[in-house]
């Protein structure tokens, strides 16, 4: 927990700009929207799966 706070405290605006520039250089401008769409759909699937799991758990508790 402390290490995470130290890392996040050290991340300033210039470091964020540097990270964005490196990502642009590595992947190019056309590839980034595809990567973000894939990331967004993955997050959506994860949320849907966790909601289904919660529903199954609540159904199992009600049937007992």
């Amino acid at each position: 927990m402390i290490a995470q706070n130290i890392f996040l405290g050290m991340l300033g605006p210039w470091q964020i700009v540097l990270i964005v520039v490196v990502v642009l250089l590595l992947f190019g401008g056309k590839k980034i929207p595809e990567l973000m769409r894939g990331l967004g759909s993955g997050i959506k699937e994860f949320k849907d799966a966790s909601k289904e799991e919660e529903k199954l758990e609540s159904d199992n508790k009600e049937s007992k």
Side-chain angles (χ1 to χ4, degrees):
M1 184 70 168
I2 294 172
Q4 182 183 13
N5 289 338
I6 292 171
F7 175 72
L8 292 176
M10 293 174 25
L11 194 60
W14 289 112
Q15 287 83 5
I16 294 172
V17 169
L18 181 64
I19 291 169
V20 169
V21 168
V22 169
V23 168
L24 279 172
L25 289 174
L26 288 175
F27 296 109
K30 293 182 179 180
K31 195 73 170 172
I32 291 176
E34 294 175 21
L35 293 171
M36 293 300 113
R37 268 191 294 274
L39 180 65
S41 65
I43 291 172
K44 182 181 177 190
E45 289 178 20
F46 178 77
K47 286 182 180 179
D48 290 343
S50 64
K51 286 180 184 176
E52 286 180 18
E53 182 69 27
E54 288 175 3
K55 183 181 176 189
L56 288 174
E57 286 179 6
S58 66
D59 290 345
N60 285 339
K61 287 181 182 178
E62 289 175 1
S63 65
K64 286 184 179 183

